[in-house]
Amino acid sequence: MEQPKLNKRYMAIEDHDYTRAVHAGMKIDESSGAVAPVIVTSTTFKQKAPGQHQGYDYSRADNPTREQLEVALGTLEHAAHGLAFASGLAAVHAVMGLLKSGDHVVAVDDVYGGTRRLFEKIWQPLGLHFHFLDLRDLHDFEHSLIEFQPKAVWLESPTNPTLRVIDLQGVARLTKKHNTLLVVDNTFATPMLQKPLRLGADIVLHSSTKYLSGHTDVVGGSVMTNDQGLYEKLKFIQFAAGAVPSPFDCYLLLRSLATLAIRMEKHCYNALAVAKYLESHPRVSSVLYPGLASHPQYQLAMTQMLGSSGMVSFYFDGTLEQLTTFFQSTHLFVLAESLGSTKSLMNHPAAMTHASVDSVVREKLGITDKLVRLSIGIEHPEDLKQDLNQAFEKACSGKNL
């Protein structure tokens, strides 16, 4: 089947980012001339004299393979510093370690369920105070800064799973005015489609497990910043707490980053095609995708993002029994946790990624039992639409829809 030609109508990745993705962090091994990153598995390193080493003494502190990855991560986010962690939540945990008991945090209410669980179940009992708010209205947001005087603001944009878009530049202007740390989880957009540091964020965070890896074979997290002071504090937390990725995981992520730009091109192309298909389907009551003109923050997304990424959510118009049949009837879409893979995945947030969120809160946020989250892969879009269509037909008793 002939592949569709890609164009700039749905995305506009910066030209140099294609080159950065391939070469960032890469260096030729001087001892062998190896072009691919060398996997340094050694946990310890010979010292010339006590306390005199060659840049590495113990792999929890620093490792040559991880160092290459961290350079690459910083380069892609146009950041002075990058840090790699063993998981996305380990990265979140490290950033929260910058705060102290009694501090307040304003977080977007539609945040990943695992992040919210970490905030409420781990950090809240230790004395942090969290305020989960809809941050799309900048006037209301500034009021929250005045009322709670938070030490940090935590954003996702687009959010998980309802794909709300937050005005990052507007939020950053207000956090700077009120001397508040701004942290942006950029997992859904990736550095190819959105650069929060340019828009005023202090820290950018990723679950590297998702698009940065892209192949559902690595668990990882990353933090990037331009602030030397923040970097030094986060570097100490990384070293002292020890939640670092293995050299082999760092190698896999480095290999994956080389194709990030071209993968995001295809994710964007396919997601728009699937979103348009779903928008016209009789068994779909509404579609959530920033690349559709029907999205409430469509204009903001078009100016803030270079593409709308590969995440599409929609509300199923039917019974829960029919929805269960739908989930069980796809051939290409895999019902599974996670996202950002070359393979298309689907998720039931209420029962899976956001099951830990209180049901009343879920309903208020629109994470209902009828919400479906799709992670659109890089297959041919017509094949994906056909797969969804036959699943809809099976779910609805084989009726011709």
Side-chain angles (χ1 to χ4, degrees), residues 84-302:
F85 291 86
S87 70
L89 285 172
V92 175
H93 198 65
V95 173
M96 298 313 295
L98 297 171
L99 307 177
K100 64 180 185 299
S101 181
D103 286 348
H104 288 250
V105 178
V106 167
V108 65
D109 51 5
D110 182 24
V111 71
Y112 165 54
T115 300
R116 187 170 188 138
R117 179 179 57 223
L118 179 64
F119 288 172
E120 292 183 327
K121 303 299 183 183
I122 303 295
W123 284 102
Q124 195 162 271
L126 295 176
L128 295 185
H129 304 280
F130 294 92
H131 310 277
F132 296 96
L133 306 171
D134 184 343
L135 303 183
R136 287 174 292 181
D137 187 293
L138 292 180
H139 181 268
D140 290 345
F141 172 63
E142 183 166 26
H143 180 75
S144 72
L145 294 178
I146 295 170
E147 180 180 1
F148 302 119
Q149 298 183 15
K151 294 296 182 181
V153 170
W154 191 281
L155 294 183
E156 295 173 4
S157 184
T159 60
N160 181 4
T162 61
L163 298 169
R164 299 175 185 174
V165 179
I166 312 297
D167 183 349
L168 298 183
Q169 198 163 25
V171 167
R173 183 177 66 251
L174 293 174
T175 54
K176 283 179 170 51
K177 176 182 174 182
H178 292 272
N179 195 31
T180 304
L181 185 72
L182 176 57
V183 184
V184 177
D185 184 335
N186 201 32
T187 299
F188 273 24
T190 81
M192 297 297 103
L193 305 179
Q194 183 171 263
K195 293 182 170 62
L197 293 175
R198 282 186 183 175
L199 299 173
D202 299 296
I203 293 173
V204 173
L205 178 141
H206 290 262
S207 172
S208 310
T209 312
K210 312 306 192 296
Y211 284 110
L212 300 190
S213 165
H215 295 79
T216 60
D217 56 6
V218 179
V219 173
S222 54
V223 175
M224 285 73 86
T225 184
N226 283 319
D227 187 293
Q228 181 68 27
L230 288 174
Y231 166 71
E232 290 175 1
K233 291 177 182 178
L234 288 165
K235 178 65 177 175
F236 176 77
I237 293 170
Q238 182 200 49
F239 161 72
V244 294
S246 73
F248 186 68
D249 284 345
C250 292
Y251 161 78
L252 286 176
L253 275 169
L254 274 167
R255 186 186 65 171
S256 296
L257 289 179
T259 60
L260 180 60
I262 57 175
R263 283 189 283 112
M264 293 314 297
E265 260 197 4
K266 195 63 165 67
H267 286 304
C268 289
Y269 184 92
N270 284 359
L272 181 60
V274 170
K276 287 181 175 179
Y277 157 77
L278 290 170
E279 200 168 39
S280 64
H281 199 283
R283 287 295 179 178
V284 174
S285 56
S286 64
V287 181
L288 308 175
Y289 183 63
L292 290 177
S294 58
H295 191 282
Q297 291 91 46
Y298 172 74
Q299 292 299 331
L300 173 61
M302 290 300 100

